[in-house]
Amino acid sequence: MQRTLFLIPVPDDLFGLPVLGFGWVLIFWGVIVAIWTYQLSRKPNFAQEVAGHAMLWAVVAAAIVFVLPALRVPEGGQIGFPVRGYGVLLVLGIVSAVGMAAYRGQRMGLNPEVIYSLAMVMIVCGVVGARAFFVFQYWDNFYVPGNWQATLGNMAKVTEGGIVVYGSLIGGAIGFGVFCYRKHLPPLALADLIAPSMMIGMFFGRIGCFMNGCCYGGLCTLPIAVAFPQGNAQQFTPPYIRHLENGAFYGVLFAQDEEGQVRVANVLPDSEASKSGEVEIGDTVLSVNGHPLHGETESGQTIKPMDELAKIILRSWQPIDGPPGTISLELADKGLVTLHVPALPKTSLPVHPTQLYSSLNALILCLLVIAYYPFRKADGEVIAITLGLYSITRFLLEVIRTDEFAIGGTGLTISQNVSVIVFLMSVALLVYARTRKEPLAWPRAAA
């Protein structure tokens, strides 16, 4: 895992003018747009081309003014843009996906420029949709009360991880639909064409997730298990912070039952909790370090027991009084049980590398739908099969992922719920494609 590959130093200003915001980078982008506009002016449909690119130009300008300054951070004694492994793999995934679609489209007699224009629209809409889905799912991690600039800054840190594939599909689908409508292109045929590209993009993107540490799996004792490094004091890696918060380093995992009580869900073998012999699965936890696991904030809001538990465990490693790495559990019918760990471990506990499972899954799906493409009977079949198979595999992968919780009393994570919806929609699309009895828009094979 390598979160930061290197840092690009960026000064505050140059020759008295800010580099970011309303400064040199914005001027440079203005020059690029001017040259771009000049090139478009040589085309007969100049006004239409400009209108098609205007959204991209505006989004990039807004990012330069409002987003880039928030991405400039101190690291390693310098201030600048950290080049994250996640971001590099994300870009590689986009380039690979667009290149594959352009190559396959050209073999079908489609001008590659159509694919490049579509890619710009879908990239913007897909990234916005993926980030919006993630922010909505984990809003508490981004919202800074009374500071909207800090909140927007947290939302903008896409290269550090934190996007949801289904969000990108929703956002990309909206951009795709608008593009096809405006360009008068057959949407089902074009969707079939780019279906393998979606999977090859995901193949690289999930490797980026592995480098970032997000989208991790549950505890694993198999030889393929991986342990993620601690990170730094400013930002622990996602699996590490989860294990730190849920008590895993003490050897005990907690869960909240339907009645809102915190119980011991598991006692890890060869751990401090296991050696004590006093903590057992099913024990009810009344308080931790003297703090009851229910209460209210100063504003009168109810504190969720698991949230309060996480805060108490985090404080146990930097206590005001007493030795670090110590928690005292008040267990129902047992009284106090004290667990002590001398120091924080250097890595997380071994977990399933679900990011790599997902990456391999995407590669297999990509090869599968490429092989099926020449044998399709109707437009819409390939994209329906792609989304249908992906929804099944994503549903199953969620079983061993632990970075998401069940929602809405369904017992399923948000991605599993969306997987069910996507599967049903893909089945409906497959039936529709087979029953509409229309010839293929592009009958030529694209090998």
Side-chain angles (χ1 to χ4, degrees), residues 382-439:
V382 178
I383 188 64
I385 291 173
T386 302
L387 294 178
L389 291 177
Y390 176 76
S391 63
I392 294 173
T393 56
R394 178 60 186 270
F395 186 97
L396 296 176
L397 281 169
E398 285 290 309
V399 175
I400 55 175
R401 278 180 60 172
T402 59
D403 59 321
E404 294 184 355
F405 299 105
I407 63 166
T410 62
L412 304 176
T413 67
I414 187 171
S415 293
Q416 286 180 313
N417 280 281
V418 176
S419 292
V420 173
I421 297 172
V422 171
F423 177 77
L424 295 175
M425 292 177 62
S426 63
V427 171
L429 177 58
L430 185 60
V431 173
Y432 170 74
R434 283 294 183 90
T435 56
R436 63 196 292 256
K437 299 187 183 301
E438 291 190 14

Side-chain angles (χ1 to χ4, degrees), residues 20 46 58 94 135 156 201 226 239 252 264 291-292 317 347 351-352 359 382 388 394 413-414 438 443:
L20 305 177
F46 170 64
I94 291 173
V135 170
V226 296
V252 58
V264 175
H291 299 278
W317 294 101
T347 66
V351 297
H352 281 283
S359 180
V382 178
R394 178 60 186 270
T413 67
I414 187 171
E438 291 190 14

Side-chain angles (χ1 to χ4, degrees), residues 99-109 192-193 196-197 370 373 446-447:
M100 174 184 284
Y103 170 77
R104 288 166 49 79
Q106 191 170 28
R107 292 179 65 86
M108 300 294 293
D192 284 349
L193 182 69
S197 294
I370 286 177
Y373 189 85

